[in-house]
Amino acid sequence: DLDLALYYEVTGLSETNRPLSRDVQIEMWRQMGHNAFAVGDYDEALRYWGKWLEVAPSSPEALMLIGDVYLRLQEFDKALEYYDASLAVNPGQIDLALRRAALLDNMNRSEEAREALNLYARMFPQNMDVLLAQADWLNRHGREEEARQLVRAAITARPDHLKARIRYQLLANDPA
């Protein structure tokens, strides 16, 4: 296969005596960590992603993935620590910020979760996922009418947004 031969030539894997480049090692650890995580071998995933983090200590992805492992292991404080570190490096990770807020809420730190969601709503006012996460928080905390109003405003702004329409139907007093 010519593509495979080119891959080995570009990455230098065809030269057995030559050490792997830093980028190739990182990608290898990244993929091996994903493989281990997918089969539930969290210790192995931590080992590979830990190696990645040693050579790239400010990698937001490595920090996030290690946080995901700790979340699966139900070590919530450690998961939160790695999520915070990842967001400190790259605060634009909206999906991670929403996972972090959900984790805080599950840890009975609801006020911190609300503050985090509100911060991201101010930083990314047009992001529908943040708005819907805020509505979910309101709904979970017995503030259904506020949640409905928030989703209704989102639908007014973006009538084509399917997730918002579904959420509104789920929040409605009378789904019909």
Side-chain angles (χ1 to χ4, degrees), residues 5 20 29 36-38 47 73 76 85 91 93 99 110 128 130 158:
L20 298 175
W29 292 326
F37 187 84
R47 188 171 74 78
L73 294 172
F76 303 129
Q93 301 174 87
R99 283 203 321 266
S110 298
M128 293 294 280
V130 173
R158 297 252 323 265

Side-chain angles (χ1 to χ4, degrees), residues 23-139:
D23 290 338
V24 170
Q25 283 181 326
I26 286 173
E27 184 58 26
M28 183 180 71
W29 292 326
R30 182 179 177 275
Q31 290 302 321
M32 293 176 90
H34 276 293
N35 293 342
F37 187 84
V39 297
D41 190 351
Y42 302 124
D43 290 333
E44 194 71 2
L46 276 176
R47 188 171 74 78
Y48 286 120
W49 290 334
K51 286 181 179 185
W52 174 9
L53 198 58
E54 285 176 22
V55 298
S58 61
S59 167
E61 185 182 7
L63 290 163
M64 176 198 66
L65 290 170
I66 291 172
D68 287 346
V69 170
Y70 284 119
L71 184 64
R72 288 283 175 95
L73 294 172
Q74 298 187 4
E75 294 185 38
F76 303 129
D77 289 325
K78 279 189 173 182
L80 191 60
E81 178 185 325
Y82 279 93
Y83 287 168
D84 287 344
S86 181
L87 287 167
V89 174
N90 180 5
Q93 301 174 87
I94 293 173
D95 289 339
L96 178 58
L98 298 180
R99 283 203 321 266
R100 180 186 177 276
L103 174 59
L104 285 168
D105 207 26
N106 289 335
M107 294 171 70
N108 296 318
R109 294 166 63 177
S110 298
E111 192 56 31
E112 288 178 67
R114 184 188 64 78
E115 289 171 5
L117 290 171
N118 289 344
L119 173 66
Y120 269 79
R122 286 191 304 276
M123 288 172 47
F124 303 98
Q126 303 301 318
N127 189 292
M128 293 294 280
D129 291 330
V130 173
L131 193 128
L132 294 176
Q134 284 182 301
D136 287 343
W137 186 94
L138 289 166
N139 188 48

